[in-house]
Amino acid sequence: MNSLSKTPSPWLVLYTKPRAEKKLAEQLLQDGIEAYCPVQVEIKQWSDRKKKIESPLLPSMILVNIDEDKRDRVFDRKHAVRYLYWLGEPAKVTSEEVESLRSMAEDSQFESQGLEKLKPGEKLDMTALGFEHIQGTVKFVNTQECWIVLENIGYVVRFKKT
């Protein structure tokens, strides 16, 4: 196969140890492995203060873009657990979906949407939420948060208003 005609490798979903998503993504980037941990900003309240924190959109998961023959390199880091499989194959996320996650996280377009208009079970064109060419299914919704199933990876993404 000609190297010029090589198609980009899909992003894979990698399980992490709990609360190690951002740390593992940073370590993999240092190792030269393209990794992405989508985050959202939340306001956490304690008895004496409020603080904005970044929490992962995909708890205990990150996305990695790595060639097939180098996939095991991620396990050189102790926080990597295993790859997510969907229907017997490694779960693959397209570059378009990753870019949509990036733009959604940066633009926070989700907050401007009327959550009360969404209904569980509704098929949702994710373009209105900052995604392109992605469809999801509303799993749960109330005035403060919404859970949407991303069918390509069989996972629920939780969005919260800040």
Side-chain angles (χ1 to χ4, degrees), residues 53-119:
I53 63 162
E54 287 185 343
S55 63
L57 278 175
L58 305 170
S60 296
M61 295 184 201
I62 63 171
L63 303 171
V64 294
N65 190 355
I66 192 167
D67 291 331
E68 179 72 29
D69 59 339
K70 297 178 184 174
R71 278 185 20 183
D72 289 343
R73 285 188 54 211
V74 300
F75 300 113
D76 292 343
R77 295 296 185 161
K78 67 179 182 178
H79 297 297
V81 176
R82 68 178 178 89
Y83 285 103
L84 172 70
Y85 279 75
W86 179 247
L87 301 175
E89 296 284 325
K92 295 178 180 167
V93 180
T94 65
S95 294
E96 291 82 16
E97 290 169 320
V98 173
E99 287 309 312
S100 295
L101 276 172
R102 288 184 201 269
S103 67
M104 190 256 338
E106 290 170 5
D107 297 340
S108 299
Q109 293 177 0
F110 177 72
E111 289 187 44
S112 65
Q113 304 300 314
L115 293 180
E116 61 279 351
K117 297 177 186 174
L118 300 175
K119 304 282 183 242

